[in-house]
Amino acid sequence: MYARIIQFPIKPEFITEAVEYFRYSVGPALKTHAGFKSSRMLTNTETNKGLMVTLWDTEENRKAAETNGFLQEVLKHMANYFAGAPTIDYYEVSVEVS
């Protein structure tokens, strides 16, 4: 499996709105992408930081969800909620415990 981790500073007044957007728009849209496994959005109201973690079955499917414009559109919409630029990192999932 392959993971995309997006870290972002978030404006405290927009945390609830960002979470709702992820839950009701991003989440359902992710489910339509080939190879999508799961996703989480984590927020810390004390530090005003957040993470979006998305897992894919293959690196090719992860890349496809980025080259088709989906990720760019999500980040563009969420830019209003961010207090600074997000950073994106990629990982291979070495161990999974469920």
Side-chain angles (χ1 to χ4, degrees), residues 14-95:
F14 288 116
I15 291 176
T16 300
E17 193 173 335
V19 168
E20 288 179 2
Y21 172 71
F22 191 88
R23 177 179 290 134
Y24 297 114
S25 294
V26 178
L30 281 167
K31 291 179 181 181
T32 69
H33 286 82
F36 169 76
K37 301 302 269 179
S38 68
S39 189
R40 305 282 187 275
M41 180 178 181
L42 296 82
T43 56
N44 183 320
T45 56
E46 292 180 16
T47 63
N48 298 318
K49 293 181 181 177
L51 295 171
M52 289 181 275
V53 180
T54 306
L55 300 176
W56 303 91
D57 63 349
T58 66
E59 189 172 17
E60 293 75 23
N61 282 329
R62 188 221 12 111
K63 287 179 180 179
E66 296 172 1
T67 58
N68 67 9
F70 174 74
L71 177 61
Q72 294 79 4
E73 198 59 36
V74 169
L75 294 176
K76 180 180 173 184
H77 182 89
M78 293 191 77
N80 295 326
Y81 310 138
F82 296 155
T87 60
I88 304 174
D89 292 305
Y90 304 98
Y91 298 89
E92 186 171 348
V93 177
S94 300
V95 176

